Amino acid sequence: MTNANKPTNALSALPLPTRSRFQPILLGVLALSLIPAGLLAVSRVAFENSEKNVALVMDYPALSQQAKETGQDPNALLLRYKKLGVNGVAVFEDVVASTIQRGDAYFLSGAELKARNPGAVGINPEWSYMRSIKPGTVENLVNSFGYISNAGAISEAQAANLALPKDQRPELPAAVYKPLDTNTLNVAGQKWIGWAVDPRYLPAGPDTERIKQLQDEGFVVVYRPWPDQRVRDPGKNWPDVPFISFTGAKVIGAGNPRVLQDIKDRLGKRIPTIIENSVQQGLPELIKDRTAARMFSLNPSWQNSLTPDEVASKFGLAARERTQRILYLRPFPTQGETEVFLNNLTKLLATRDIKITLPIIENYAPSDVLRWLTMLGTLSALLLLALSYPLPRLGLLVAGAALLGALGLNGFQPYPGLALVSAITFPALGLVLRRKQMTDWYLATGFSLLGVLYVSALGTDKNSMLGLDPFSGVGLTLVLPIALVALSFLPRQDIRQTVRDLFAIRLTLGDVIMMGVALGAFAVAVLRRGNTSAVGVSDTEAKIRQDLQDAIIRPRFKEVFGHPLLLLGLSGTLPGYFTILALLGGLEGQASILNTFSHFHTPLLISLTRALLGLAAGLLLGYLVVWALRVAIRIWNNYGGWNGGNPSSGTPAAPPSQPSLGETLRRPLMPRTEARMTDIRPEDGLGLDRLGMKP
């Protein structure tokens, strides 16, 4: 290694890790546990490759509205869009008003009926009245609605069941319905049925004729029933379709276990959908013993604020990187925009080998035996981290707290709890073991990539792949690795002395400003995570992101900037504590790798490609930054060299006792001591020797 590549005293002043006699054993267990973790990764990739297909489902009411505005038949417009890739239709359950619009029934308010028939007896002006045009229409509707008369008994039985073990709970009583308050009148020789409520907005079941026509034309039908507690036997008249997509914030039966059980039974082979970013109440319980299909859509108002190209990009991303199996489409305000959107979307899907067809939805079921064997590797890594601390007893306390905290956050469930442990341990492990030179970046990265296998093996199951139940504490994966590494900086001395030394450190205004900047940058990095973050992006960055994700798999910007920062910290190029800040800040890139793989609804190979692109870009940028900074510092410190090594004309030479600019740049954060600040040498690094801290 050349002198330029040697770390500064800021790194040298850090305490060396403890070399535990158990290290070879723990590394051996870690290596052996890679076998089951690798097998689980292979099985997951095979499963994900079998699901590279989607259905393009058009919202039928929105389509019908566009057809009316353009003077077309809705079915003809739908068939035109079918040629552009649409292979599915979302059909909503009819409401009573639909039967009126079709001419199957006639509706009048009580006041209007009375005004038309002034001598009629028994008309209540506050009621609503209907009569059948198509025989039996209104009579059948009367029998379709009611209310649960024994709701109290069901609630009491449910409360009693909660106090009993599952295998001893008696079956809940059947729901007993009573019909809504109605009456029958004969007015001017016509039979009218009166309703105490306005029936026009009550669910009236499926339009079976339209659904059959759409199925005959080869469309995948998604049926969307309305939730209404006044519907008797909900789900009993659902059509034979592959998918059910509930409307509203709750699935039908949410909050009522008896009704929810009925819905489970009546789903049959129909598969419920999970709407992206809008998981409905009761859905996790409904699909507990079955599967579901992830469905992606955009709010109409948001969609209309974007261009067709931008919307196509978002739907393409959802299908490729978020395993969305049903793309729920709505037409744009104009037919031309809609056609451009469909053309762009189908091209994006084709370039990613995603087929447009009827999705076959299955559950991913990893081997429990392999997952338990994988846990041994995670526990070995955590113990190795603890024993490698300069203060091993502190390391054991920290590791124990991390393990209990991760399990506690996840209800002491072993799989998600150990997945979180893996995600916070492996990014920190490499930098606790070695942090003296730039090449140690490869060791840290190697451990982070190993951690990917453990996070994937332990965290991936049916619910996490559906985006319903990832392990709790995903946000901590960006924070805790930094804390674990920072704690390993504590020197080998009495912890009480270290606390006293830290309180004695003298801070300057510059120190406070730099620490504030560092904390602000860290906060932005943590807050800008997930698909919807607390800190937005600029229009320029959004455009860059879209172009990257359309052309390739976009790397995470946390990694593109984090990896160079870590390389810069390990190079020792920066003066004093700036090296330590760069090292800790750069650890965000390593933590981001594990955070990327904690999004289990993203295919494993997609996440791997994203991580590798981030590593390649970060490595190249890091070496360029280190080289450029070294050149800049050399020029800064030797500015006079441009003038033959002499001061510029008219500039007096600096007195010999004045510290050079290079020394000033390297001057570290120092504690308050009796020594004069001019006596502080750049060789003092962090000044730990003045604190009595021996590395």
Side-chain angles (χ1 to χ4, degrees):
M1 180 183 295
T2 64
N3 290 335
N5 291 330
K6 290 182 180 179
T8 64
N9 287 329
L11 287 176
S12 301
L14 295 176
L16 296 174
T18 300
R19 180 63 182 265
S20 170
R21 64 180 184 273
F22 299 109
Q23 187 179 94
I25 298 174
L26 295 174
L27 288 174
V29 173
L30 189 61
L32 289 174
S33 64
L34 287 174
I35 298 175
L39 292 175
L40 286 168
V42 170
S43 70
R44 175 180 167 183
V45 170
F47 175 81
E48 290 170 338
N49 284 338
S50 69
E51 296 204 329
K52 295 182 67 175
N53 48 67
V54 297
L56 302 188
V57 176
M58 182 65 74
D59 181 276
Y60 194 81
L63 173 91
S64 298
Q65 182 64 30
Q66 186 183 67
K68 292 177 182 177
E69 292 173 353
T70 55
Q72 301 180 69
D73 176 71
N75 194 63
L77 182 59
L78 179 61
L79 291 176
R80 178 176 177 83
Y81 288 155
K82 182 180 181 182
K83 296 178 181 179
L84 299 176
V86 173
N87 72 322
V89 185
V91 179
F92 284 78
E93 180 180 11
D94 272 352
V95 292
V96 173
S98 301
T99 66
I100 300 170
Q101 292 173 352
R102 287 197 299 264
D104 296 339
Y106 195 67
F107 173 88
L108 285 176
S109 67
E112 189 173 2
L113 181 61
K114 189 170 185 177
R116 292 188 181 187
N117 301 274
V121 179
I123 300 176
N124 188 334
E126 295 182 357
W127 280 36
S128 300
Y129 291 86
M130 294 183 66
R131 66 179 177 87
S132 297
I133 297 175
K134 182 179 179 180
T137 299
V138 180
E139 289 75 11
N140 292 333
L141 289 175
V142 170
N143 297 325
S144 300
F145 306 108
Y147 61 93
I148 302 177
S149 62
N150 63 335
I154 293 177
S155 299
E156 291 173 6
Q158 180 187 10
N161 278 348
L162 293 176
L164 297 173
K166 289 185 178 181
D167 57 347
Q168 297 180 17
R169 294 177 182 177
E171 185 177 354
L172 292 172
V176 177
Y177 288 87
K178 286 188 176 181
L180 293 180
D181 193 5
T182 61
N183 62 18
T184 303
L185 294 178
N186 193 305
V187 180
Q190 294 177 330
K191 180 182 177 182
W192 290 85
I193 296 180
W195 303 72
V197 298
D198 187 339
R200 287 176 294 178
Y201 304 105
L202 290 173
D207 185 347
T208 54
E209 293 181 3
R210 176 178 294 163
I211 291 174
K212 185 179 185 306
Q213 176 191 354
L214 294 170
Q215 290 177 325
D216 291 342
E217 292 172 345
F219 289 102
V220 176
V221 176
V222 177
Y223 183 61
R224 307 208 65 188
W226 299 106
D228 196 306
Q229 62 182 359
R230 295 168 294 185
V231 175
R232 297 183 62 176
D233 299 324
K236 193 173 183 179
N237 61 353
W238 284 348
D240 185 14
V241 296
F243 300 103
I244 295 289
S245 182
F246 296 99
T247 57
K250 301 178 181 180
V251 303
I252 298 174
N256 189 317
R258 179 70 260 174
V259 177
L260 189 63
Q261 184 60 50
D262 289 340
I263 295 298
K264 284 184 180 181
D265 297 337
R266 291 165 183 168
L267 272 174
K269 295 182 179 180
R270 304 176 189 91
I271 298 174
T273 64
I274 301 173
I275 303 173
E276 175 80 346
N277 296 325
S278 182
V279 177
Q280 294 151 312
Q281 182 181 339
L283 187 60
E285 293 82 3
L286 183 65
I287 66 169
K288 186 176 182 180
D289 301 318
R290 56 191 308 127
T291 190
R294 286 170 58 79
M295 185 171 80
F296 179 79
S297 67
L298 292 182
N299 182 282
S301 59
W302 186 30
Q303 173 176 313
N304 292 336
S305 70
L306 304 173
T307 66
D309 182 57
E310 291 171 332
V311 176
S313 176
K314 293 184 183 299
F315 276 95
L317 179 70
R320 180 181 58 168
E321 299 188 15
R322 300 179 195 167
T323 60
Q324 302 287 350
R325 308 298 300 283
I326 297 178
L327 303 184
Y328 193 95
L329 314 178
R330 293 182 178 88
F332 278 79
T334 67
Q335 183 176 332
E337 290 176 302
T338 307
E339 292 181 357
V340 171
F341 159 62
L342 292 174
N343 270 317
N344 291 344
L345 176 57
T346 52
K347 288 178 182 178
L348 283 175
L349 296 177
T351 58
R352 304 304 176 186
D353 297 324
I354 299 175
K355 297 180 180 179
I356 301 174
T357 184
L358 169 64
I360 305 300
I361 311 297
E362 296 180 348
N363 286 335
Y364 176 66
S367 166
D368 285 329
V369 173
L370 294 179
R371 296 177 88 185
W372 279 100
L373 291 174
T374 302
M375 286 185 192
L376 297 177
T378 295
L379 294 173
S380 297
L382 182 63
L383 185 56
L384 177 61
L385 176 79
L387 295 178
S388 299
Y389 266 41
L391 298 173
R393 285 181 291 181
L394 173 64
L396 290 172
L397 287 174
V398 170
L403 179 60
L404 289 176
L407 290 172
L409 279 174
N410 290 276
F412 289 94
Q413 300 178 60
Y415 295 146
L418 269 294
L420 177 56
V421 171
S422 301
I424 64 176
T425 299
F426 282 95
L429 184 56
L431 287 174
V432 171
L433 292 175
R434 292 190 54 154
R435 53 197 178 215
K436 292 298 180 183
Q437 53 194 5
M438 284 182 70
T439 53
D440 291 340
W441 179 88
Y442 297 96
L443 178 67
T445 302
F447 274 112
S448 295
L449 292 176
L450 287 181
V452 164
L453 291 175
Y454 294 92
V455 170
S456 174
L458 297 174
T460 308
D461 57 17
K462 182 197 81 172
N463 282 346
S464 64
M465 292 189 77
L466 290 175
L468 284 178
D469 190 24
F471 62 78
S472 298
V474 173
L476 296 177
T477 61
L478 296 173
V479 178
L480 291 185
I482 297 175
L484 292 176
V485 172
L487 287 173
S488 72
F489 292 167
L490 297 179
R492 289 187 176 91
Q493 66 177 16
D494 191 318
I495 194 71
R496 294 170 295 182
Q497 180 61 40
T498 302
V499 172
R500 286 193 291 267
D501 293 338
L502 290 174
F503 271 101
I505 291 178
R506 179 180 181 180
L507 295 177
T508 67
L509 178 60
D511 299 328
V512 174
I513 292 174
M514 289 308 304
M515 291 179 183
V517 170
L519 288 174
F522 174 70
V524 170
V526 172
L527 291 174
R528 289 182 58 176
R529 61 183 179 87
N531 298 326
T532 55
S533 63
V535 179
V537 299
S538 65
D539 292 340
T540 301
E541 183 178 346
K543 178 61 177 173
I544 294 174
R545 289 186 174 195
Q546 179 183 328
D547 292 343
L548 284 173
Q549 69 193 24
D550 289 346
I552 59 174
I553 297 172
R554 178 180 64 83
R556 300 184 80 182
F557 287 173
K558 292 184 185 70
E559 297 168 32
V560 173
F561 293 108
H563 296 319
L565 196 58
L566 181 57
L567 283 165
L568 185 60
L570 289 171
S571 72
T573 304
L574 294 170
Y577 63 83
F578 290 100
T579 287
I580 306 304
L581 290 178
L583 189 144
L584 291 176
L587 189 60
E588 189 74 6
Q590 301 293 323
S592 180
I593 294 176
L594 277 297
N595 183 265
T596 294
F597 286 88
S598 299
H599 298 85
F600 303 108
H601 57 269
T602 300
L604 187 63
L605 291 182
I606 295 290
S607 295
L608 179 61
T609 305
R610 172 174 285 117
L612 293 178
L613 288 174
L615 286 169
L619 183 63
L620 176 61
L621 183 60
Y623 273 97
L624 288 175
V625 168
V626 171
W627 173 81
L629 187 60
R630 284 174 174 169
V631 170
I633 291 178
R634 190 179 302 118
I635 293 174
W636 181 276
N637 290 338
N638 299 282
Y639 180 80
W642 290 358
N643 195 24
N646 299 316
S648 58
S649 177
T651 303
S657 60
Q658 182 72 19
S660 70
L661 181 59
E663 291 176 338
T664 303
L665 284 174
R666 294 184 178 88
R667 184 171 296 165
L669 177 67
M670 293 295 296
R672 185 188 302 275
T673 65
E674 295 180 0
R676 293 178 303 155
M677 292 303 293
T678 54
D679 294 336
I680 298 173
R681 300 168 300 157
E683 293 76 17
D684 287 338
L686 286 176
L688 296 177
D689 55 343
R690 287 185 174 273
L691 289 172
M693 304 182 189
K694 302 301 180 183

